[in-house]
Amino acid sequence: MSAPVRLVARTGADVAERLARSAAAAEGAHTATSEVPGWLDLHRLLSGTVIRRIPFSGLDHWSFAPDTGNLRHSSGRFFTVEGLHVSGPGTEWEQPIIVQPEIGILGILAKEFDGVLHFLMQAKMEPGNPNLVQLSPTVQATRSNYTKAHGGTAVKYLEHFLAPRREQVLTDVLQSEHGAWFFRKRNRNMIVEVDGDVTVHDGFCWLTLGQILRLLRLDNVVNMDARTVLASAPALHDETRALSSDAGLLAWFTGERARHDVRARRMPLRDIAGWRTDAHSVSRADGRFFRVMAVSVEGAGREVAGWTQPIIEPVERGVAGFACRFFDGVPHLLAHARVEGGFLDTVELAPTVQCVPSNYAPEHRPPFLDVLLDASPDRVLYSAVHSEEGGRFLNAESRYLIVETDEATTPARPPLGYQWVTPGQLNWLAGHSRYVNVQARTLLAVLGPALRGDGAP
């Protein structure tokens, strides 16, 4: 173990350089990269967790409010499932939405070993994960959880994130969650460095950024919350020019927000049109998009051993992908100014394609979807399946893609609502709130290795 070092305030460039050194470290001082999948499997077996679908009547402390039909917890904490009405020029719809106004903490603890930053990652069970246990941030907790509204045990390592000294903070930004399923939900994304001894509890391990990036090549290993924290951190980029200046990019994005005069308001769940409620689900009459379900969690090995809760289940695996082109040798990504009903500012930058294909008739398939799905293998720079937020979504997976395209399929002058951005510009915007959506942040987290052609472990 290296001797403790005294932390001093650092600039964003200093942090980016240290993160780049960690990203270059394919192995760390403690756990081998090849051991991590087996380590996660072991925790999955030892937990003995069982997830069961149950009728709404089987929920403990959850019920439909008699006046609104909203699903709520008897404590008034955690979250509610309500209705949402969205309207704008040429568009209008209603849907269920999760309302969770409290800001949670997604925090990764960092420490230098042998001069290289390592990150304390957790083997965390979440009921919605397809494989239950994935690599997660050191702390991943809602305010209700870390204030013990559930009556359970304390969140480990939480003290490092509640009031860190300024010189300890490597990144700290409020980021949005899934705007299609959450109403204006935000979490605090943090990386905090320590220089003293840290007890490594069972279910935690130190990994370099390089190790985490290699694990991101595997399906369903690194969870969504870890991906968004890493994407929010500053990165080094050697771009010499971009198709749009930073000022031009911001002007275009501001214009997109102004162009979309979309209004969203909460409404009673029982009144939403086109949805029906039965004993087991709230779902669309045509079976599209998603359904609200209820699950029972037993043997969780978490702050509490078991619980019941509502959860959202999409009807099918989604696709989220960036088209990528090189202009004068500089990589550019085709970003989409995407409207989602739950966004605080209506529009955020999203991948080129973000959808569940089966939700669309053949004549209404999203632009560029077939360009990404039909790409030849030599043009696919990155492909992996990752699950979305496992605490609120059940079996919510997407195929994440980065595909190299050409002028014939993705022109240099893109259609309305799309813009070419460099990785550096996307990283710059991800360092601020409400610019880059959570799916785009997943792809931003893997972008460097994908463009370099780094292989899987």
Side-chain angles (χ1 to χ4, degrees):
M1 179 185 297
S2 59
V5 295
R6 180 175 177 272
L7 299 180
V8 296
R10 298 180 172 92
T11 66
D14 293 333
V15 173
E17 289 177 0
R18 299 177 70 216
L19 290 172
R21 288 198 296 271
S22 183
E27 294 296 338
H30 296 272
T31 303
T33 309
S34 60
E35 295 174 355
V36 174
W39 177 71
L40 294 173
D41 287 340
L42 177 63
H43 281 276
R44 189 174 301 119
L45 292 172
L46 292 176
S47 72
T49 305
V50 176
I51 310 298
R52 294 187 298 110
R53 298 169 185 262
I54 59 173
F56 291 126
S57 61
L59 287 168
D60 294 327
H61 304 293
W62 291 88
S63 62
F64 291 97
D67 53 341
T68 62
N70 295 342
L71 256 176
R72 62 185 185 182
H73 193 265
S74 59
S75 68
R77 306 289 295 276
F78 302 106
F79 63 94
T80 57
V81 181
E82 305 180 15
L84 185 72
H85 179 270
V86 183
S87 62
T91 185
E92 184 173 12
W93 76 88
E94 295 176 358
Q95 65 167 89
I97 196 86
I98 293 175
V99 179
Q100 188 175 349
E102 59 187 32
I103 294 174
I105 293 176
L106 307 179
I108 297 179
L109 209 59
K111 179 178 169 62
E112 275 196 1
F113 295 95
D114 300 327
V116 176
L117 279 174
H118 287 59
F119 303 90
L120 189 61
M121 307 301 290
Q122 178 182 180
K124 188 176 182 67
M125 190 288 299
E126 293 181 280
N129 287 342
N131 53 357
L132 289 182
V133 178
Q134 296 185 11
L135 200 65
S136 309
T138 318
V139 167
Q140 179 182 317
T142 65
R143 183 179 296 274
S144 290
N145 283 342
Y146 68 73
T147 56
K148 303 182 186 178
H150 48 49
T153 60
V155 175
K156 294 180 176 66
Y157 306 106
L158 177 65
E159 66 276 10
H160 295 285
F161 300 93
L162 291 180
R165 301 191 311 273
R166 181 180 303 176
E167 65 270 17
Q168 291 181 286
V169 178
L170 304 187
T171 186
D172 187 359
V173 59
L174 288 178
Q175 296 286 19
S176 62
E177 297 282 313
H178 296 75
W181 297 330
F182 277 121
F183 183 73
R184 300 179 179 177
K185 177 73 174 74
R186 296 174 296 162
N187 277 324
R188 192 175 179 184
N189 289 229
M190 307 176 71
I191 300 177
V192 173
E193 185 178 5
V194 292
D195 59 351
D197 291 335
V198 176
T199 300
V200 179
H201 296 286
D202 182 48
F204 293 81
C205 70
W206 291 105
L207 298 173
T208 68
L209 182 53
Q211 291 179 284
I212 299 169
L213 292 174
R214 290 174 70 81
L215 292 166
L216 276 165
R217 286 280 182 174
L218 304 178
D219 293 349
N220 285 324
V221 169
V222 181
N223 85 343
M224 185 213 79
D225 296 301
R227 302 191 307 261
T228 180
V229 173
L230 296 175
S232 302
L236 292 177
H237 298 279
D238 58 358
E239 302 157 0
T240 56
R241 68 181 70 183
L243 289 182
S244 297
S245 67
D246 292 349
L249 175 60
L250 283 178
W252 167 80
F253 186 60
T254 302
E256 286 296 308
R257 279 183 167 167
R259 182 171 69 87
H260 292 282
D261 183 19
V262 177
R263 301 181 183 184
R265 62 173 178 86
R266 291 153 64 182
M267 62 178 295
L269 180 63
R270 69 179 183 186
D271 292 342
I272 56 176
W275 294 75
R276 60 189 179 190
T277 300
D278 58 30
H280 290 83
S281 69
V282 180
S283 61
R284 276 179 60 104
D286 59 11
R288 297 164 66 203
F289 297 107
F290 64 90
R291 60 184 70 91
V292 181
M293 313 280 291
V295 295
S296 167
V297 184
E298 301 168 5
R302 292 265 298 266
E303 292 83 8
V304 292
W307 67 89
T308 62
Q309 68 169 86
I311 200 164
I312 280 180
E313 182 179 39
V315 299
E316 190 182 68
R317 178 184 291 174
V319 175
F322 271 124
C324 176
R325 288 188 62 187
F326 291 78
F327 296 99
D328 292 330
V330 177
H332 285 68
L333 306 165
L334 187 58
H336 179 207
R338 180 179 174 86
V339 173
E340 293 187 21
F343 284 155
L344 184 60
D345 283 329
T346 304
V347 171
E348 293 190 12
L349 288 181
T352 317
V353 171
Q354 179 187 316
C355 71
V356 173
S358 65
N359 286 331
Y360 298 89
E363 64 273 19
H364 294 124
R365 284 170 74 82
F368 308 111
L369 173 61
D370 293 325
V371 172
L372 298 192
L373 294 182
D374 297 341
S376 60
D378 62 303
R379 286 186 171 268
V380 178
L381 306 179
Y382 178 83
S383 176
V385 174
H386 295 302
S387 58
E388 307 302 332
E389 210 274 1
R392 299 290 178 264
F393 312 138
L394 179 65
N395 298 323
E397 296 180 303
S398 293
R399 167 68 65 180
Y400 280 90
L401 296 164
I402 301 175
V403 175
E404 187 173 0
T405 57
D406 54 29
E407 181 67 20
T409 55
T410 52
R413 298 188 64 178
L416 185 67
Y418 294 82
Q419 181 76 298
W420 290 104
V421 301
T422 67
Q425 289 175 321
L426 197 65
N427 177 252
W428 165 57
L429 291 174
H432 301 80
S433 300
R434 305 194 303 275
Y435 279 97
V436 181
N437 82 349
V438 68
Q439 288 88 348
R441 295 198 303 272
T442 281
L443 289 165
L444 180 59
V446 305
L447 195 56
L451 294 177
R452 293 193 302 268
D454 295 357

